[in-house]
Amino acid sequence: MFIEERLKKQLDFSLEIDKEKNIFRQTHLSGHGRNENDAEHAWHMAIMAYLLREHANEEVDITRVILMCLIHDIVEIDAGDTYAYDTEQQKSQKEREEKAKQRIFSLLPEDQRSELMALFDEFENAQTPESKFAHAMDNLQPLLLNNSNEGGDWKEHGVTAEQVYRRQGMTKAGSEVLYELTDRILQENIRKGNLKE
Amino acid sequence: MFIEERLKKQLDFSLEIDKEKNIFRQTHLSGHGRNENDAEHAWHMAIMAYLLREHANEEVDITRVILMCLIHDIVEIDAGDTYAYDTEQQKSQKEREEKAKQRIFSLLPEDQRSELMALFDEFENAQTPESKFAHAMDNLQPLLLNNSNEGGDWKEHGVTAEQVYRRQGMTKAGSEVLYELTDRILQENIRKGNLKE
């Protein structure tokens, strides 16, 4: 079957990323559901980013934020999900993800490969208003689910409030409003005994 | 815990749509995987829309296309997934989805409720360049998966080529290029006996 080269590359990449639906995270769906996968997490973050954009610290190009949310975990197809509180796994995370980035985005036509890699790097570096806000979503989305499940994911892994707070600097950089919200949610979970001090 | 009213509504909606991850479709993931859910489908469509936008018949506002892709199945949280080739279920689909639309989007602050409902309606009516292209993605994404699985979903449901072709008018309206591609994929699947004539 003949398919023009550029379109074929776009389709090859589109089919490849289907595998992201098989990368499961530590977060559980609301209603004490099953583990969430990366594709679901990315979809959820993208919609939240759009709806909550008014709370970003700086004005953001929302299309770029949404795209970062959608693609930021594609590397985990090869590199796997690294749990936020697994310090051992985190040591090799950067290297594993860099290799994955090269392989997967290289399926695309050259211009789109460069564009998506740059977007991924921008997210990773977390220096721009867009990437900071995308990171705020990356924190808030699982927090929302975990809070709805009485902190089940923290309990399961024995995570401490200090560990959770350490990650929320990213949220603060993206949105003071959502950081304040996060703080209130965490304090309530500490009070309820869902998150140990 | 005090949360400002507008933000609370945004969070209530954000948590509610988590349920879309439990709405399973007839399509199976690549590699003869499990059934796909609506959130995964929406995520996949949104990325494909961005990567394939150059093939749209008319110039599109890609942010609006992506948003339509992301939200078009939220109503299925209440209304359930209606299989493309289930004519019995389709009779009540419109009514079920309308009711769901009212309930779910009404969780949002008024301005965002109106905006997302309008986007949903625009997708449903399929008259604008953006909604036509989003529909092309709604067709192409499962086709790509089903093609990678040797037409397993068609075989399972005894779907005919005529039925499949009838749905592809939407793809043609959004993208002649992707309609041609679809036609080649379908012809190949007919030849291979994956799709009956």
Side-chain angles (χ1 to χ4, degrees):
Chain A
M1 177 171 59
F2 173 74
I3 303 177
E4 185 254 323
E5 184 67 14
R6 180 171 173 83
L7 177 55
K8 190 181 176 310
K9 286 184 175 181
Q10 292 167 334
L11 295 174
D12 284 348
F13 177 84
S14 296
L15 186 59
E16 181 67 20
I17 64 171
D18 187 59
K19 294 176 184 165
E20 190 173 318
K21 301 166 192 169
N22 297 317
I23 308 299
F24 284 88
R25 298 163 47 82
Q26 297 300 329
T27 313
H28 290 75
L29 302 188
S30 60
H32 298 277
R34 59 166 169 79
N35 287 69
E36 179 180 51
N37 66 56
D38 276 350
E40 297 169 324
H41 163 63
W43 166 81
H44 208 167
M45 276 173 66
I47 296 183
M48 287 176 65
Y50 186 72
L51 294 174
L52 300 172
R53 67 195 185 284
E54 70 198 55
H55 307 299
N57 287 341
E58 298 167 84
E59 204 170 314
V60 291
D61 175 340
I62 194 60
T63 307
R64 288 165 45 71
V65 176
I66 289 174
L67 288 171
M68 277 182 219
C69 291
L70 292 176
I71 68 150
H72 79 290
D73 273 342
I74 284 179
V75 294
E76 297 192 358
I77 289 172
D78 288 355
D81 179 56
T82 304
Y83 185 47
Y85 306 107
D86 184 336
T87 45
E88 203 43 55
Q89 269 209 329
Q90 282 174 346
K91 288 179 190 162
S92 63
Q93 184 180 6
K94 199 90 195 161
E95 196 187 315
R96 283 181 286 121
E97 294 193 349
E98 184 60 30
K99 221 169 137 180
K101 180 182 85 173
Q102 295 297 337
R103 183 190 75 78
I104 301 169
F105 290 119
S106 295
L107 295 171
L108 283 167
E110 180 55 33
D111 59 321
Q112 295 190 314
R113 168 184 174 276
S114 305
E115 187 196 353
L116 262 64
M117 275 193 185
L119 259 176
F120 175 81
D121 289 341
E122 183 180 337
F123 176 81
E124 285 296 301
N125 295 331
Q127 296 299 315
T128 59
E130 284 77 16
S131 56
K132 287 176 190 170
F133 192 62
H135 273 285
M137 295 305 108
D138 201 18
N139 282 345
L140 184 62
Q141 187 269 341
L143 182 76
L144 203 63
L145 295 191
N146 198 14
N147 178 56
S148 80
N149 287 330
E150 288 86 45
D153 301 326
W154 294 318
K155 291 178 197 165
E156 188 180 329
H157 297 278
V159 174
T160 65
E162 198 198 330
Q163 287 177 293
V164 179
Y165 268 104
R166 209 177 300 143
R167 282 184 67 82
Q168 307 307 322
M170 286 287 211
T171 300
K172 196 170 175 151
S175 167
E176 291 281 350
V177 172
L178 298 178
Y179 178 75
E180 263 180 56
L181 168 77
T182 297
D183 184 39
R184 269 174 282 155
I185 292 174
L186 293 180
Q187 288 304 319
E188 197 187 27
N189 277 283
I190 291 169
R191 209 160 38 237
K192 286 181 178 169
N194 295 337
L195 180 59
K196 63 182 183 191
E197 276 187 281
Chain B
M1 179 172 60
F2 173 75
I3 303 177
E4 185 254 323
E5 183 66 14
R6 181 171 173 82
L7 177 55
K8 190 181 178 306
K9 285 185 176 182
Q10 291 167 335
L11 296 174
D12 285 347
F13 178 83
S14 295
L15 186 59
E16 180 66 20
I17 64 171
D18 187 59
K19 295 177 184 164
E20 190 173 318
K21 302 165 191 169
N22 296 316
I23 307 297
F24 284 87
R25 299 163 46 83
Q26 297 300 327
T27 313
H28 289 75
L29 301 189
S30 61
H32 299 278
R34 60 168 167 78
N35 287 68
E36 179 181 51
N37 67 55
D38 275 350
E40 297 169 324
H41 163 63
W43 166 80
H44 208 166
M45 275 173 67
I47 297 183
M48 287 176 67
Y50 185 72
L51 294 174
L52 299 172
R53 67 195 185 284
E54 69 199 55
H55 306 299
N57 288 341
E58 299 166 83
E59 204 170 312
V60 291
D61 174 341
I62 194 61
T63 307
R64 288 166 45 69
V65 176
I66 289 174
L67 288 172
M68 277 183 220
C69 290
L70 293 175
I71 69 149
H72 80 291
D73 274 341
I74 285 179
V75 295
E76 297 192 358
I77 289 172
D78 288 354
D81 179 56
T82 304
Y83 186 47
Y85 306 108
D86 184 335
T87 46
E88 202 44 52
Q89 269 209 328
Q90 281 173 346
K91 287 178 192 164
S92 64
Q93 184 180 6
K94 200 87 195 164
E95 196 187 313
R96 282 182 287 121
E97 295 193 349
E98 184 61 30
K99 221 168 135 180
K101 181 183 83 175
Q102 295 296 338
R103 182 188 78 77
I104 302 168
F105 291 119
S106 295
L107 295 171
L108 283 167
E110 180 55 32
D111 59 320
Q112 294 189 314
R113 168 185 175 275
S114 302
E115 187 196 353
L116 262 63
M117 275 194 185
L119 260 177
F120 175 82
D121 288 341
E122 182 180 337
F123 176 80
E124 285 296 301
N125 295 331
Q127 296 299 314
T128 59
E130 285 77 15
S131 57
K132 287 176 190 169
F133 192 62
H135 273 286
M137 295 305 107
D138 201 18
N139 283 344
L140 184 62
Q141 186 269 343
L143 182 77
L144 203 64
L145 295 191
N146 198 14
N147 177 57
S148 79
N149 286 330
E150 289 86 45
D153 301 325
W154 294 319
K155 289 178 197 164
E156 188 179 328
H157 297 278
V159 173
T160 64
E162 197 197 332
Q163 288 176 292
V164 179
Y165 268 104
R166 212 177 297 144
R167 282 183 67 82
Q168 306 306 321
M170 287 287 212
T171 300
K172 195 170 175 150
S175 168
E176 292 280 349
V177 171
L178 298 177
Y179 177 76
E180 264 180 55
L181 167 77
T182 297
D183 183 39
R184 268 173 283 156
I185 292 175
L186 293 180
Q187 288 303 319
E188 198 187 26
N189 277 284
I190 292 170
R191 209 158 41 237
K192 285 179 176 171
N194 296 337
L195 180 59
K196 63 182 183 191
E197 277 188 281

